[in-house]
């Protein structure tokens, strides 16, 4: 099932399988309804309204164990705070480049906040929305914008 939601960063489409969210992609055009999709839509609206710093949704990260491990660490980064690819790499005993690739492969961006992961000397990349501009918008929305200048 898929449901599209308008956000200040553009339309996003949520994908649910087996009672859990498995994907969030920028783009729209879907209107399925389920309890999980409606909860996700409400929580995303609350996030953008500044009323929800933490999502509380059933998630399933599809991918390798390493992808799941990186997503698990990203999910612990508090609203308005950031880590670097190197920080996560040290926690997992892995190369920072591999962490960067796993961040780029995050199947549920925004809800698993890969936008909160920065490079050692800059923003790093972002594959959602319109790229790095979307990452900057999200970080500023969370009050982490001072890190960007």
């Amino acid at each position: 099932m898929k449901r599209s939601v308008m956000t200040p960063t553009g339309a996003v489409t949520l994908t649910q399988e087996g009672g859990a969210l498995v994907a969030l992609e920028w783009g729209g055009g879907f209107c399925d309804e389920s309890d999980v999709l409606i909860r996700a839509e409400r929580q995303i609206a609350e996030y953008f309204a500044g009323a929800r710093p933490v999502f509380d949704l059933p998630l399933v990260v599809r991918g390798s164990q390493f992808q799941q491990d990186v997503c698990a660490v990203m999910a612990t980064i508090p609203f308005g705070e950031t880590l670097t690819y190197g920080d996560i790499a040290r926690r997992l005993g892995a190369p920072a480049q591999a962490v960067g690739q796993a961040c780029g492969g995050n199947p549920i961006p925004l809800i698993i906040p890969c936008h909160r992961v920065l490079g050692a000397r800059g923003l790093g990349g972002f594959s959602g929305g319109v790229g790095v501009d979307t990452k900057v918008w999200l970080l500023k929305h969370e009050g982490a914008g001072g890190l960007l200048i």
Side-chain angles (χ1 to χ4, degrees), residues 24 26 44 47-48 55 106 108-115 138:
L24 182 148
W26 267 262
I44 288 170
Y47 166 83
F48 281 108
F55 291 96
N106 175 9
I108 316 171
L110 182 64
I111 294 170
I112 298 175
C114 53
H115 60 278
L138 292 168

Side-chain angles (χ1 to χ4, degrees), residues 55-145:
F55 291 96
D56 179 24
L57 297 164
L59 307 176
V60 172
V61 175
R62 295 213 170 114
S64 68
Q65 186 61 54
F66 183 70
Q67 178 73 57
Q68 293 173 31
D69 292 346
V70 170
C71 284
V73 173
M74 288 189 295
T76 68
I77 305 170
F79 183 94
E81 296 183 26
T82 61
L83 290 176
T84 66
Y85 300 109
D87 293 332
I88 296 173
R90 282 186 290 284
R91 287 186 188 185
L92 297 176
Q97 183 177 10
V99 169
Q101 291 171 343
C103 286
N106 175 9
I108 316 171
L110 182 64
I111 294 170
I112 298 175
C114 53
H115 60 278
R116 297 178 188 155
V117 182
L118 307 176
R121 293 180 185 83
L123 286 170
F126 192 70
S127 56
V130 292
V132 172
D133 288 343
T134 300
K135 183 175 190 168
V136 169
W137 194 98
L138 292 168
L139 289 169
K140 286 182 178 180
H141 169 70
E142 294 185 9

